């Protein structure tokens, strides 16, 4: 009986984390290049008693690699990534990778993300343009042309498939393994005047939210029932024998 109570409580902890993750995905359905969070659950076996008991682990948050839809904006400073590559910018504590290609030019000419961080090239150097230098063209390989002269190249990087990603802000990630610069632009590259949307599907996330909420309510009922049965057993055992 106690095992059932503990299993139910472990399931509630796991489902609560799942609900928080889904709620965050729903809140970012309109965030450019947002990658959804998913929870990886595992079963934990306990052999403290005679028979093994399976508990739900709280789960580990994993950032999905699934891209969002791409839309045309007409803004020459917007770029979307084709393929599995990532842009890079210089964050406060090192390089951060993102798929959010909404760029801007600072008054001093630095090419920046929409949040004001310097965009870097494949070597990690910042890119500087002429704020008054005329129209900008960005090629598939990231080469920036301004006033018919190439003035810089936006770096494109690949992150190892087995790397764990730590979220930075809404659309940035920091991998635990080194990213490498893309040199073959046959499959990967940039699309000028396009922006990648959120990877969160609102209808799918809402369906998951309803399902997880119902599962949580069901588990809560089971825990309450088990606790009530345990209390009844204690009262019965405490009654004097007739």
């Amino acid at each position: 009986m106690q095992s059932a109570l503990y299993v139910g409580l472990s399931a509630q902890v796991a489902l609560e984390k799942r609900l928080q993750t889904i709620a965050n995905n729903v809140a970012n359905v309109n965030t450019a290049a947002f990658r959804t969070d998913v929870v990886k659950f595992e079963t934990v076996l306990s052999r403290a008693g005679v028979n093994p008991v399976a508990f739900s682990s709280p789960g580990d948050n994993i950032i999905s690699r699934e891209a969002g839809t791409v839309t045309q904006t007409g803004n020459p400073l917007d770029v979307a990534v084709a393929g599995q590559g990532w842009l890079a910018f210089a964050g406060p504590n090192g390089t951060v990778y993102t798929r959010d290609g909404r760029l801007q030019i600072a008054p001093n000419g630095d090419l920046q993300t929409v949040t004001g961080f310097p965009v870097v090239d494949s070597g990690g150097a910042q890119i500087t343009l002429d704020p008054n230098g005329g129209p900008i063209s960005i090629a598939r390989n990231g080469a920036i042309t301004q006033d018919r002269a190439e003035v810089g190249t936006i770096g494109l990087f690949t992150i190892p498939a087995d790397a764990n990603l730590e979220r930075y802000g809404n659309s940035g990630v920091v991998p635990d393994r080194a990213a490498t610069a893309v040199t073959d632009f046959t499959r990967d590259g940039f699309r000028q005047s396009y922006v990648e949307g959120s990877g969160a599907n609102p209808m799918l996330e809402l369906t998951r939210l309803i399902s997880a909420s119902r599962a949580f309510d069901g588990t809560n009922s089971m825990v309450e029932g088990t606790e009530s049965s345990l209390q009844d057993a204690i009262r019965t055992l405490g009654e004097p024998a007739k």
Side-chain angles (χ1 to χ4, degrees):
M1 187 178 296
Q2 288 184 342
S3 294
L5 179 62
Y6 296 145
V7 169
L9 290 173
S10 71
Q12 283 188 314
V13 171
L15 286 167
E16 182 182 16
K17 185 171 185 177
R18 179 63 175 144
L19 286 167
Q20 293 173 347
T21 297
I22 298 172
N24 184 59
N25 291 342
V26 172
N28 284 280
V29 293
N30 293 318
T31 301
F34 175 79
R35 295 299 180 94
T36 58
D37 281 322
V38 296
V39 181
K40 180 182 179 183
F41 294 107
E42 294 180 351
T43 299
V44 179
L45 288 178
S46 171
R47 295 185 179 275
V50 177
N51 298 314
V53 179
F55 295 91
S56 297
S57 72
D60 296 322
N61 271 24
I62 299 175
I63 298 175
S64 171
R65 301 283 185 111
E66 186 174 351
T69 57
V70 174
T71 57
Q72 188 172 14
T73 64
N75 184 350
L77 284 177
D78 287 341
V79 290
V81 177
Q84 298 299 315
W86 301 75
L87 293 88
F89 63 84
N93 300 311
T95 304
V96 179
Y97 299 90
T98 183
R99 300 269 297 194
D100 186 354
R102 297 174 296 165
L103 308 181
Q104 61 182 357
I105 301 176
N108 65 354
D110 287 346
L111 185 64
Q112 298 179 341
T113 65
V114 70
T115 51
F117 292 105
V119 177
V120 300
D121 61 19
S122 58
Q126 297 183 19
I127 301 169
T128 302
L129 309 178
D130 183 354
N132 303 311
I136 291 174
S137 176
I138 302 175
R140 183 176 177 84
N141 66 353
I144 304 172
T145 302
Q146 189 176 30
D147 194 22
R148 293 178 292 182
E150 188 173 319
V151 293
T153 302
I154 303 173
L156 186 62
F157 302 84
T158 57
I159 298 175
D162 58 349
N164 295 315
L165 306 179
E166 179 182 349
R167 191 177 296 281
Y168 181 89
N170 288 331
S171 302
V173 298
V174 179
D176 62 355
R177 296 187 59 186
T180 56
V182 173
T183 56
D184 183 0
F185 296 92
T186 304
R187 183 177 59 182
D188 300 318
F190 293 103
R191 298 180 66 187
Q192 186 179 17
S193 300
Y194 285 81
V195 165
E196 180 181 318
S198 173
N201 182 316
M203 293 304 298
L204 180 59
E205 294 298 334
L206 285 174
T207 300
R208 289 171 175 168
L209 184 61
I210 293 171
S211 178
S213 297
R214 290 176 176 174
F216 186 89
D217 291 340
T219 304
N220 188 55
S221 297
M222 184 192 72
V223 170
E224 290 178 349
T226 302
E227 186 177 17
S228 177
S229 298
L230 183 60
Q231 291 174 350
D232 290 343
I234 292 174
R235 281 195 296 267
T236 301
L237 291 173
E239 292 178 356
K242 295 181 180 179

